[in-house]
Amino acid sequence: NAGVTQTPKFRILKIGQSMTLQCTQDMNHNYMYWYRQDPGMGLKLIYYSVGAGITDKGEVPNGYNVSRSTTEDFPLRLELAAPSQTSVYFCASSYSPPGTEAFFGQGTRLTVV
Amino acid sequence: GNSVTQMEGPVTLSEEAFLTINCTYTATGYPSLFWYVQYPGEGLQLLLKATKADDKGSNKGFEATYRKETTSFHLEKGSVQVSDSAVYFCALANSGNTPLVFGKGTRLSVIA
């Protein structure tokens, strides 16, 4: 029972570098989400997807890009990393709302120096 | 639009004390309401949910009742334990291709 798998778990980036955070789920969920959680703070929605080929911006999309070419995968791309992107990133998935539970990955802790 | 407001912490309680964490929401239609819990160093996991008015969700001694008249979904537990120390998030899900919406989270610390 893999659920939602995020890689890597930890990463240190230098300012201006780029990277892709991987997220895959094996539950055939149509909804997928990316959130960031700054230290001591709540969750902020970056992007979400309601199905393969469909993505939409959340609350804090600037500096990020996503794609959803398959049901299973929802990678998050950081271009030109900045210190403000230091955070813990969580991927989640669910069946169509409203009554369904969202399942979360274990998170990726990213530090930009 | 959809939004969730929950009481901000941190909340510090002694073991066996009564817990209430307030949560109110704004939404059109008939959303579902959730409480998620995040233990240190982990992702969020579902604690309980309610999908219609007057439903009561319960799990691990925690309860919350979906009150449409007061647009609330307060989390309660009669006797907290040290192991309940975590961050608790109230959340709302609505229909119409809208994303899951979270409150800011409430950090609970329970001391022996």
Side-chain angles (χ1 to χ4, degrees), chain A residues 96-101, chain B residues 32 34 49 51 93:
Chain A
S96 297
T100 59
E101 171 187 358
Chain B
S32 292
F34 306 82
K49 72 176 186 181
T51 58

Side-chain angles (χ1 to χ4, degrees), chain A:
Chain A
N1 293 348
V4 178
T5 302
Q6 291 182 236
T7 56
K9 288 186 168 49
F10 303 93
R11 184 72 186 269
I12 299 174
L13 276 184
K14 293 185 178 177
I15 294 171
Q17 287 185 320
S18 300
M19 76 165 294
T20 299
L21 281 64
Q22 301 292 345
C23 176
T24 187
Q25 52 93 7
D26 62 359
M27 296 171 282
N28 203 33
H29 287 163
N30 50 334
Y31 275 61
M32 294 188 76
Y33 307 86
W34 274 106
Y35 294 90
R36 60 178 284 174
Q37 184 177 36
D38 297 333
M41 305 291 284
L43 298 169
K44 293 185 178 179
L45 181 65
I46 305 171
Y47 272 96
Y48 68 105
S49 169
V50 303
I54 305 169
T55 62
D56 211 343
K57 295 178 180 178
E59 184 183 356
V60 290
N62 291 344
Y64 306 94
N65 277 300
V66 294
S67 59
R68 183 96 182 271
S69 56
T70 67
T71 298
E72 294 79 19
D73 300 307
F74 191 42
L76 177 72
R77 178 83 177 160
L78 278 72
E79 304 282 2
L80 298 175
S84 60
Q85 293 178 305
T86 294
S87 191
V88 180
Y89 292 83
F90 289 102
C91 179
S93 71
S94 72
Y95 290 117
S96 297
T100 59
E101 171 187 358
F103 291 81
F104 281 77
Q106 291 295 298
T108 296
R109 184 175 297 275
L110 175 67
T111 303
V112 181
V113 296

